[in-house]
Amino acid sequence: MTELNAFLTRERIDPTHEGPLSGRTVAVKDNISTRGVRTTCGSAMLAEYVPPYDATVVERLREAGATVVGKTNMDEFGMGTTTETSAFGPTRNPVDTGRVPGGSSGGSAAAVAAGEADLALGSDTGGSIRCPAAFCGVVGIKPTYGLVSRYGLVAYANSLEGIGPFARTVEEAAELLDVIAGVDERDATTREPETTPAGSYADAATGDVDGLSIGVPTELLEGADERVVEAVEGALSELEAEGATVREVSLDSLSYAVEAYYVIAMSEASSNLARFDGVRYGPATESEGNWNEAFAAVREEGFGEEVKRRILLGTYALSAGYHEKYYRKAQDARAWIAEDFDGALSEVDVLASPTMPVLPPELGESLDDPLQMYLIDANTVPVNLANLPAISVPAGESDGLPVGLQLIGPAFGEETIIRAASALA
Ligand code: GLN
């Protein structure tokens, strides 16, 4: 069997208690802090970094009886859509090892798809859970912003990202969400759901979609590969056959989402990654006492090309004179997108689209053209801009490759998307 390179560190972290996840193995993305176990973020900058504390989600896993089996490969600091920007080499897609697993949480999705872990945690800033779930044929949930603690998650773009589960079935993903969700005093952005779940998220996986109304934004179908559209339409027909209604809706703001997302994500990244200066984190260099040179040298050596590109662009977008032109406009677009979603979700229960507009690319195919790579995030990034929950669920295959259906719900409407998706997997 070809080595998938799903894990960067294989190390067992034992549970502290018995609980609902006793006997279950969980793989954890390598940007989630694990006490005493190296946490690299897929970067040479943190190749030797060992956190002194556990992320809240890791603490909750251990209290729930789960056994962590290792830390998974990822695009460097979460910046990518294929897991190829990792400083430790790409992960392969277990469905077709010549193809990428998606990203940036590619290692977590591949580990679950290949049966190397029962469950996994990833993080999603602009699609990094949903994309690899779609490409590897598993389930991935991006929770509402604030439902799951980010304490111990190494920040890339903190206003957009969150931690969420992967599993082979919707019910198992929901069980993992039950364990990690909830207010955390160490993350002031966590919130109590406005409507508390009736039982548990897992209980919502009833498979019952009778009476559910589904809206399909035309903007998220346009430009998608025909083979993807066909599989997604097949899944929607299945839901209709079980009593759901499907209709087209339109959200004009969505055509600005990729531009807005990349301006905001890169701006936040340029600020968040300033801490990697060779003093607090990163390899030591010979500095001869010149701070600027030492700082530059460690960042030259420690960061890969994609990370450098984003720090430069983000710094530019935030600089005096350009701030109004780029950052401010991106924030306006973000507000418009959130409003548009609110409007659409007051008319239908959930919105549906292909998770990714393309089938999994071949390894190496998308690296030369960063813009092309950014554009394939068109269907996932709007959800992060609007702080909403979404799930990617297998919608069948095309040419032997998995296709994902994305279902988007209202804020803290995890139960609705779990219920809808559970009719399919
Ligand atoms: N592909 C997107 C990016 O590179 C999303 C990544 C993510 O969600 N971490 O920013």
Side-chain angles (χ1 to χ4, degrees), residues 144-145 147 183 191-197 201 410-415:
T144 306
Y145 189 81
L147 182 68
V183 169
R191 282 182 296 159
E192 205 63 68
E194 278 137 44
T195 51
T196 344
Y201 293 117
F412 296 106
E414 273 77 4
E415 286 177 289

Side-chain angles (χ1 to χ4, degrees), residues 39-128:
T39 298
T40 69
C41 294
S43 182
M45 184 67 90
L46 293 176
E48 311 294 335
Y49 172 61
V50 178
Y53 67 100
D54 276 332
T56 296
V57 291
V58 171
E59 227 171 58
R60 290 186 180 172
L61 282 180
R62 301 182 69 192
E63 285 166 4
T67 301
V68 174
V69 287
K71 305 296 296 291
T72 58
N73 201 10
M74 56 181 282
D75 282 299
E76 187 174 3
F77 288 103
M79 300 178 188
T81 310
T82 62
T83 310
E84 292 171 293
T85 74
S86 168
F88 306 101
T91 293
R92 292 170 180 274
N93 189 324
V95 179
D96 176 345
T97 54
R99 293 185 186 261
V100 302
S104 65
S105 317
S108 286
V112 170
E116 295 188 20
D118 298 321
L119 305 163
L121 289 182
S123 68
D124 191 308
T125 311
S128 281

Side-chain angles (χ1 to χ4, degrees), residues 90-248:
T91 293
R92 292 170 180 274
N93 189 324
V95 179
D96 176 345
T97 54
R99 293 185 186 261
V100 302
S104 65
S105 317
S108 286
V112 170
E116 295 188 20
D118 298 321
L119 305 163
L121 289 182
S123 68
D124 191 308
T125 311
S128 281
I129 291 175
R130 291 159 287 158
C131 161
F135 283 177
C136 293
V138 298
V139 176
I141 301 175
K142 177 244 175 270
T144 306
Y145 189 81
L147 182 68
V148 177
S149 170
R150 285 181 296 109
Y151 180 77
L153 171 69
V154 180
Y156 151 28
N158 50 284
S159 83
L160 295 161
E161 63 209 359
I163 296 172
F166 287 98
R168 288 184 287 274
T169 66
V170 173
E171 187 174 1
E172 289 171 287
E175 278 178 70
L176 179 50
L177 182 61
D178 277 317
V179 166
I180 60 173
V183 169
D184 176 14
E185 62 177 22
R186 290 173 297 188
D187 174 359
T189 63
T190 52
R191 282 182 296 159
E192 205 63 68
E194 278 137 44
T195 51
T196 344
S200 66
Y201 293 117
D203 287 343
T206 58
D208 178 11
V209 291
D210 197 22
L212 186 86
S213 58
I214 304 174
V216 182
T218 45
E219 292 79 6
L220 302 186
L221 272 183
E222 281 161 13
D225 186 309
E226 270 172 37
R227 294 167 296 177
V228 168
V229 173
E230 210 175 290
V232 163
E233 282 175 349
L236 290 173
S237 308
E238 235 180 285
L239 295 175
E240 263 183 318
E242 293 176 40
T245 56
V246 178
R247 66 169 158 119
E248 283 202 5

